[in-house]
Amino acid sequence: MSETKIVKTACGICGPCCQADAYVKDKLLVSVEGSRNVKGQSGGLCAKGMAAKQYVYNKERLLYPMKRAGKKGEGKFTRITWDEAYDIIAENLLKVRDTYGARSTVFYTGYPKWYRPALLRLANAYGSPNYCTESSTCFQAAALAWRSIYGNHICGPDLAHARSVLLWSSNLYHSNTAMSGIYQGLKKRGVKIIDVDSRRTVTANDADIHLQPVPGTDGALALSMAHVIIEEGLCDKAFIDNYVYGFEEYREYAGRYTPEKAAVITGVDAGLIRKAARMYAENGPSGILFSASPIVHHTNGVQNYRAVFSLPAITGNYDVEGGNCSMAGITSPCNEFGKVRRYEKEEAIGQRDFPVWFDLSCDEAQCTRLADYIMKEEPYPVKALFGMGLNHRMWPQPEYVEQALMKLDFYVNVELFMSDSCKAADLVLPACTSYEREEVHCLKGGRFFFSNKAVEPLGESENDIEVIMEVLKRMGLRDEVLEKGYDNYMQYILEPSGLTLKELKDSPEGLQGRHLRMPSFKNYEKEAFRTPSGKIELKSLVLERYKDSHGYEGLPVYRDYRKETAVDRKRYPFILNTGCRRPQYFHSRVYRVPWLDALQPSPLIEMHPLDAEKCGLKEGDTVIIRSPAGAVTGMAACNINGDPGVVYMYHGDGRGDANELIDKDYLDPISGFPGYKSYFCNVEKMEEQPHEL
Ligand SMILES: Nc1nc2c(c(=O)[nH]1)N[C@H]1C(S)=C(S)[C@@H](COP(=O)(O)OP(=O)(O)OC[C@H]3O[C@@H](n4cnc5c(=O)[nH]c(N)nc54)[C@H](O)[C@@H]3O)O[C@H]1N2
Ligand SMILES: Nc1nc2c(c(=O)[nH]1)N[C@H]1C(S)=C(S)[C@@H](COP(=O)(O)OP(=O)(O)OC[C@H]3O[C@@H](n4cnc5c(=O)[nH]c(N)nc54)[C@H](O)[C@@H]3O)O[C@H]1N2
Ligand code: SF4
Ligand SMILES: [Mo]
């Protein structure tokens, strides 16, 4: 019997990576807890993190490389060696490149973020413009909305100095454990909080003002706030005169959205809209805390967020202390993200459909329509897919995506688990968790942290970046960073900070980077905005380029999906909002974890009690939910969190997949993001086995 040792490591179950202490005995992980005294971390882990043991030692973990043995999709595999696996990959990917050209191979990753720059390097070395990620449905549309106005990377709020915070919209207690602590700090400091959320949440409960719009009507709400600010003379006239382009047309357009009109569209009381607008404009400096997803998961998502992001421009809350700033806090330079550019010499998939995505330099291709591109061979044949953490259930109509995956000449998925998406693959390769690898983390405030390997990788599972490095080598491709091995890769990340890997490894609590970048404000006084006009564009000249070809508008125009979608509302009376985060789940990945799965017996269909009564339902009933795209079963959960007329359901659950209800063509025409949060449905009690499921 050996002693229990504590290893300083990290939980990577949801991505941001909380520092964790792993208790290891006889080479096995026996328990985990959050590292104490870490800045910005409460000390505890969340429910998912606490279930780490069942995640690492899950019975669905992939342990060996495996090759398809049966028909595509049948799920039959035989074990092979890594050597054989690499040979198969090199042979197939080189064959596709020779026959169809490099662009016919897509390099794709799902939500996992930590190995992304290495995967991009591999795609570049191969010569494919098609480096794609799950960000074709997450964050990038918000970033695009911001960039179309200000021309730079999306700016977060300077929370340390803000007097008001406009939280539009994020349920921090459920989706961002680390931020929820900071949010509590704001409250203690007496910062005024306006939360815009279509439901009454724990986060909304702490706000001074809660605006509760009908999902997807946020653009109208933001325009009416702008209307109040302009009408009441609360805007920053000097800032607008000097730095803003298109203000007159914007003013005229926002003028049409009186709070009374917005109240009809959004369901928010006109008086409350006025109060919120005054608080944001008068109790400054004010920062907008935004989210990666709920506002842009609508068919008018980009324009709705553009309306929200226009507010700093008219109030001067841009790049000032306490506002939304290009650099609000201390950072340390590192080479982890954003230092490699995507290969752009060839047309990427998505480029014809969503040109602004590419003009505003999203460093990845837009792949929401990937299944269509594969099935229809448009704009050119896509024949191979090198996937890492690919989960087809994250997309609308997943069964169609699955069919497309099976049409490929060659599809490999590097995964932790034998997921449904692996079953469609020709080859599956086992990755390891954060507890089984070493990693350098760049943290907020210019800090770095080294997470140790707590236990040896299970079976023959491997660190994803080492897999990428070997694939590069086997294809005879060159990349100056990937060629030099994993230790060198970690040193490369650290290089700009002035730290060495050795000293970081020797500092279990982490280290402050030696080269720090200090906050800087009002950068616009020194350099022009990186927009076509050189100013902040309330009327976007980039969007206007595509007015005739794609119908894009330069102003943040509000369009109402309830009027514009051709759906029989008598048949589908409810708005369907899928994917609001639940604290115990993380997309598709932890349903297989018994402790977490036990918290919810089947997919919940959340409805207002008044709607449930109308449908003759009660809490706990087994129900069938239908949309024009499909039908799934679940369990009715009646609560007053949302308003009547809206049904909420989480996604990623193979037992009842919300994405089977979303039409694959129901997309925002600017960003390509699916309208996950405003489609249409009805709900019925399930009396007997449905025939058409
Ligand atoms: N209906 C609906 N659909 C949605 C959303 C919604 O709100 N509603 N949200 C969208 C958004 S915002 C996002 S971000 C996407 C997320 O969508 P996904 O990419 O599906 O996210 P996950 O299920 O977390 O992760 C994908 C896979 O990565 C694997 N994985 C985890 N860690 C590693 C690792 O270190 N290495 C490797 N190789 N694999 C790993 C997991 O086992 C999992 O199978 O879903 C989108 N889909
Ligand atoms: N536990 C857990 N945490 C997660 C994730 C997870 O799957 N599980 N996923 C991660 C990922 S990939 C992402 S993108 C983030 C997202 O994190 P959040 O931004 O917090 O995402 P949501 O919970 O989907 O939406 C936030 C709030 O927006 C409200 N909402 C929904 N639709 C609308 C709308 O149209 N208008 C307005 N005003 N409000 C609306 C919902 O009621 C919800 O309370 O979470 C991350 N964190
Ligand atoms: S928030 Fe939870 S799941 Fe995510 S890294 Fe931290 S402990 Fe792990
Ligand atoms: Mo996301």
Side-chain angles (χ1 to χ4, degrees), residues 169-171 175 197 199 216 218 291 298 581-582 585 587 650:
S169 320
S170 188
N171 189 11
S175 64
D197 194 309
R199 296 178 308 155
D218 301 80
S291 165
H298 298 279
R581 304 314 187 227
R582 286 177 175 276
Y585 288 148
H587 304 294
Y650 196 64

Side-chain angles (χ1 to χ4, degrees), residues 111 113 134-135 137-139 292-293 297 581 586-587 651 673:
Y111 182 87
K113 308 251 189 306
E134 122 292 0
S135 301
T137 69
C138 180
F139 180 71
S293 61
H297 282 171
R581 304 314 187 227
F586 202 81
H587 304 294
H651 63 292
F673 276 35

Side-chain angles (χ1 to χ4, degrees), residues 283-296:
N283 191 50
S286 304
I288 299 177
L289 193 53
F290 53 84
S291 165
S293 61
I295 305 307
V296 284

